[in-house]
Amino acid sequence: MRHVIDQAAAWQRSGTRFVMATVVRTWGSSPHAPGASMLVSEGGRVVGSVSGGCVEAEVCALAEDVLAGAAPVLARWGIGDEDAFAVGLTCGGTIEVLIREMGAQVPLGRLAADVAAGVPVALVTPVDGGGCLVVGGGTVSGSLGDPRTDRVAALAAEGMLGRGADGLVTGGGEAADGLVDGGDDDADGMVGSGGDTADGLVSSGNDADGGAVCAPGRELLVQSFGSRPRLLIFGAAEFARPLADMGAALGYRVTVCDARPAFATAERFPRADEVVVERPDRWFRAHEDRIDATTAVCVLSHDARFDVPVLALALRSAAGYVGAMGSRRTHEDRMERLRTAGVTEAEAARLRSPIGLDLGGRGPEEAALSILAEIVAVRQGGTVLPLTVRTGPVHTG
């Protein structure tokens, strides 16, 4: 979504009119989760996607209507529709897409700046097209036309942003399964107002003075933009170059660190967010507060002097993935060194080494592909099986 938001802000600055189409709900097999967006400019340019190609042409047609003055549209496509094959939605799922014009009143500049800086931020847009909010970091930009609605929408958005959730906020009593509404904390960690749950909707409940906190029947779409996951590459070897490029393409915030200044240069890693000349363990220790479950650590230096100290730190950290490059012989030697360094068996069991999936490839590019494939599988809970041997929906999220 980062390139979509960047393009939206650029079009807004230049005065180009455009529509944003966003997935708000999905059922069954769907290539994109809620929050995925696509832009259609008044000149017919398209950026982004809502279905991987199934319904984009239909979305463009509705976008033209909106740019011609039609009201925002909440459209649904599914395999059971009479026009499903004409539209091209044959995957067996159903998607609901909000299509609305993003005018000059939408603070897209702030949104793009926060997204680029990795600051968690949410975009709140009413389905009826009246105003817009950008919420994050304790501040709110824009308006939905009513201060009270702004306050409630901001609270709901902050709750959803904290969990990276996307969905619709409504003024009824129903809330999305697993999302957030604006009442009291309940036992399972959700914020609830006692209303029933229903897929895709979020209720704002009641405020302190007992009144309804959101206009009845008015729906608001909340899109969350969390911090980018981190890809930490220790060892600026040749294999690190395509890994940094592919990681950036997948949306990771990429850091390349190596103690050797001849290797750790911005020229060699143009797509990395930062290239650091430092001992890997020293850098890791100084930035350990940034490490979380979305962080992937890849150690590629092939030098025990650098590998073992940083791996010992990484295996004890909150990092969701820790891998190291090397042969099986190198791996066994490394494991002995890690045990000597005090790494427990449980901690050592987290290490993925030799790093990557067995794709049968060779060379830096194919090695990078196998490493990132393993990282994605670990993060998303993939089976790493060919889809041809699996049953059920292709897209389960």
Side-chain angles (χ1 to χ4, degrees):
M1 281 294 297
R2 182 179 179 183
H3 71 291
V4 173
I5 296 303
D6 287 344
Q7 184 61 70
W11 279 345
Q12 187 182 69
R13 286 193 300 269
S14 68
T16 301
R17 292 181 63 209
F18 65 96
V19 161
M20 179 181 283
T22 303
V23 178
V24 296
R25 281 189 283 251
T26 66
W27 297 265
S29 181
S30 174
H32 291 309
S37 293
M38 165 180 159
L39 308 177
V40 183
S41 75
E42 58 186 342
R45 185 179 171 190
V46 175
V47 176
S49 173
V50 294
S51 74
C54 296
V55 302
E56 268 71 2
E58 188 74 4
V59 170
C60 286
L62 291 172
E64 291 177 1
D65 293 341
V66 171
L67 288 171
V73 178
L74 191 60
R76 182 182 293 188
W77 291 277
I79 189 63
D81 297 341
E82 293 181 1
D83 62 347
F85 282 92
V87 170
L89 187 62
T90 59
C91 61
T94 299
I95 64 172
E96 195 168 67
V97 179
L98 174 61
I99 304 166
R100 79 282 195 197
E101 182 173 1
M102 304 297 280
Q105 79 281 5
V106 182
L108 290 173
R110 180 209 159 170
L111 178 65
D114 283 354
V115 171
V119 176
V121 63
L123 175 64
V124 184
T125 310
V127 174
D128 60 21
C132 205
L133 291 181
V134 173
V135 181
T139 63
V140 179
S141 301
S143 177
L144 302 178
D146 175 73
R148 186 172 177 176
T149 302
D150 290 348
R151 289 195 299 272
V152 173
L155 286 173
E158 286 174 353
M160 294 171 72
L161 181 61
R163 296 181 306 102
D166 300 276
L168 289 174
V169 177
T170 185
E174 299 177 336
D177 185 16
L179 296 186
V180 178
D181 51 5
D184 298 323
D185 290 346
D186 63 16
D188 64 6
M190 289 176 57
V191 181
S193 61
D196 297 330
T197 62
D199 288 344
L201 298 181
V202 179
S203 170
S204 298
N206 296 324
D207 67 3
D209 64 12
V213 296
C214 194
R218 193 178 192 198
E219 290 184 315
L220 309 173
L221 172 65
V222 178
Q223 289 173 268
S224 297
F225 300 88
S227 300
R228 294 159 61 198
R230 293 182 178 274
L231 174 60
L232 307 180
I233 303 173
F234 296 106
E238 191 65 19
F239 283 84
R241 297 177 67 182
L243 181 60
D245 290 344
M246 293 182 191
L250 290 179
Y252 284 86
R253 178 175 177 79
V254 179
T255 296
V256 179
C257 178
D258 197 303
R260 302 165 295 180
F263 291 88
T265 66
E267 291 75 18
R268 296 187 71 230
F269 298 94
R271 298 197 63 182
D273 292 275
E274 56 182 344
V275 181
V276 183
V277 179
E278 178 61 279
R279 280 187 58 97
D281 56 314
R282 290 176 184 167
W283 186 95
F284 196 99
R285 189 174 286 108
H287 299 86
E288 195 162 3
D289 59 330
R290 303 183 187 179
I291 311 302
D292 61 21
T294 69
T295 302
V297 177
C298 299
V299 178
L300 312 181
S301 54
H302 278 291
D303 189 330
R305 295 174 302 166
F306 300 122
D307 290 1
V308 172
V310 73
L311 283 172
L313 292 171
L315 291 169
R316 293 167 179 151
S317 75
Y321 176 95
V322 182
M325 180 171 279
S327 67
R328 298 194 186 280
R329 184 174 181 178
T330 298
H331 169 72
E332 292 302 324
D333 176 71
R334 183 188 289 132
M335 292 297 288
E336 287 301 318
R337 292 173 183 270
L338 286 170
R339 293 185 185 99
T340 301
V343 174
T344 68
E345 290 301 320
E347 292 166 345
R350 299 183 60 214
L351 178 60
R352 294 181 176 269
S353 174
I355 195 171
L357 299 181
D358 180 13
L359 302 183
R362 293 184 177 274
E365 289 75 16
E366 291 179 340
L369 179 63
S370 76
I371 294 169
L372 283 167
E374 184 175 49
I375 290 172
V376 171
V378 170
R379 185 180 176 199
Q380 303 292 354
T383 65
V384 199
L385 294 173
L387 291 173
T388 55
V389 304
R390 288 188 52 215
T391 59
V394 172
H395 305 283
T396 58

